[in-house]
Amino acid sequence: MKIVCKRNGQEIEFKYGFPLWVEEVEGITNTKFDIQTEKPSDFDGEIYMGSTAEIRNIVITAQIKNDHLFWRERMFQFFQPRSKGTLYYYDLNTEKKIDYYVEEVTFDFSGRIRKVEVSLLCPNPLFQSVKDDLTQMAVWKGLIEWPLDLPPTWEVGEKVSTLIANVANPSNVTRGLTIRFMAGGTVHNPSLFDINRQQGLKINIELHLGDVLEITTGNGEKRVKLIRDGIITNINNLWEFGSTWLQAEPGDNVYRYDAEVGIDVLSVSIISTPLYWGA
């Protein structure tokens, strides 16, 4: 098992070995939920109203054998207040990550082997996979091969399209999507439809050659962006009324893309990150 904390291009590693020998880790493999109930009059027990996951508190206790002063200063320099970091958890074939903020760092004042305790708070209690899942529904495939031998008529590429694609979600946690529409010409009002649940989203926009329309649907990350000539513009106001912020539910999620004009020059990809209630 190994834990790596990263922030602003720097990192600190905790493992079963010095200089930071892991003694104990809390808050990695459990999740706490707050259950809301209501007590009606003349009713035995209470009625379940809902539940929410509480903030995750990860506490790492490690032993330091040598260079105590160096590591004390290093810890306080690295674990800064009001600065977000990312914790990476590795165990056998498991690789997961979670964002955190520092709550407390505590050192033993004396001793040959001294302990350090780092308490991290994760406002979003869900762990993420280190790697994203990519589903390409329509892409351009290059046809030029080397050594180059050009016939009288030739093409530099061809479009490989799959109007319908499945995004499989084997975990038990609904995950947000990043949907990218890339225009190879003029495209009007691109859309994506969830066939199983009969829901969809559409953006009322005219895309031109080279434009990228990016939609993110994760909790707290719902937005629509247009990338044109290297300039990013927020265009949530072009969201079609009645559209749904599509997310990948547990199991199979079958999507179909469309456009009112220019579907033949439209490339589409869906990126999603697996989520977990524990590491």
Side-chain angles (χ1 to χ4, degrees):
M1 187 270 290
K2 180 174 69 174
I3 293 175
V4 180
C5 295
K6 297 185 179 182
R7 183 184 69 85
N8 295 339
Q10 303 180 58
E11 64 180 55
I12 284 183
E13 180 180 296
F14 301 88
K15 61 182 180 180
Y16 291 132
F18 289 111
L20 298 175
W21 186 297
V22 174
E23 179 179 286
E24 185 179 12
V25 181
E26 299 177 2
I28 292 283
T29 57
N30 66 293
T31 302
K32 188 176 181 180
F33 297 91
D34 181 23
I35 298 178
Q36 294 88 44
T37 60
E38 186 176 276
K39 177 68 174 177
S41 60
D42 300 324
F43 187 87
D44 294 329
E46 297 186 1
I47 297 176
Y48 172 80
M49 304 300 294
S51 63
T52 55
E54 295 187 0
I55 190 171
R56 184 181 294 276
N57 183 197
I58 298 177
V59 180
I60 306 169
T61 303
Q63 297 180 351
I64 301 175
K65 186 177 181 180
N66 298 308
D67 302 321
H68 303 131
L69 179 59
F70 166 81
W71 281 109
R72 185 164 68 243
E73 293 179 348
R74 172 78 173 122
M75 289 288 185
F76 284 122
Q77 180 272 333
F78 181 86
F79 291 107
Q80 292 285 322
R82 299 179 296 277
S83 180
K84 183 173 72 174
T86 303
L87 181 148
Y88 292 79
Y89 177 81
Y90 304 94
D91 189 9
L92 299 178
N93 295 326
T94 298
E95 296 182 15
K96 298 175 182 177
K97 65 181 181 178
I98 190 169
D99 291 334
Y100 68 81
Y101 291 86
V102 179
E103 181 187 35
E104 186 177 8
V105 180
T106 306
F107 279 88
D108 281 349
F109 185 72
S110 61
R112 177 67 182 85
I113 296 180
R114 303 182 189 180
K115 292 182 182 180
V116 57
E117 183 177 278
V118 180
S119 179
L120 308 173
L121 297 180
C122 308
N124 182 351
L126 288 167
F127 279 89
Q128 299 181 351
S129 173
V130 173
K131 298 180 180 178
D132 295 331
D133 289 345
L134 172 64
T135 301
Q136 293 181 310
M137 301 182 70
V139 295
W140 286 92
K141 177 183 177 182
L143 297 179
I144 297 179
E145 297 181 355
W146 301 95
L148 187 62
D149 182 16
L150 298 179
T153 59
W154 54 282
E155 297 177 339
V156 297
E158 65 177 352
K159 188 183 181 186
V160 181
S161 298
T162 303
L163 290 177
I164 298 176
N166 179 43
V167 176
N169 181 5
S171 76
N172 62 348
V173 184
T174 300
R175 62 172 88 162
L177 305 174
T178 297
I179 306 156
R180 288 182 182 151
F181 295 102
M182 293 153 281
T186 300
V187 177
H188 290 180
N189 306 336
S191 60
L192 188 71
F193 190 74
D194 184 329
I195 294 176
N196 292 343
R197 298 169 184 85
Q198 294 294 292
Q199 299 174 333
L201 60 82
K202 179 193 288 187
I203 309 301
N204 295 315
I205 188 174
E206 179 177 316
L207 300 175
H208 304 290
L209 176 65
D211 287 351
V212 176
L213 174 65
E214 184 174 282
I215 306 164
T216 54
T217 69
N219 295 333
E221 300 177 341
K222 294 178 172 61
R223 52 183 166 270
V224 184
K225 297 188 295 185
L226 173 66
I227 305 172
R228 174 176 289 169
D229 298 327
I231 300 174
I232 300 176
T233 306
N234 293 321
I235 55 170
N236 282 48
N237 59 306
L238 301 182
W239 180 264
E240 170 79 2
F241 178 77
S243 291
T244 300
W245 295 97
L246 300 177
Q247 296 188 339
E249 303 288 343
D252 291 329
N253 299 266
V254 183
Y255 299 110
R256 186 187 190 281
Y257 76 89
D258 201 355
E260 294 180 6
V261 174
I263 189 173
D264 293 335
V265 295
L266 184 63
S267 297
V268 184
S269 63
I270 300 176
I271 301 170
S272 61
T273 304
L275 302 175
Y276 309 91
W277 283 120

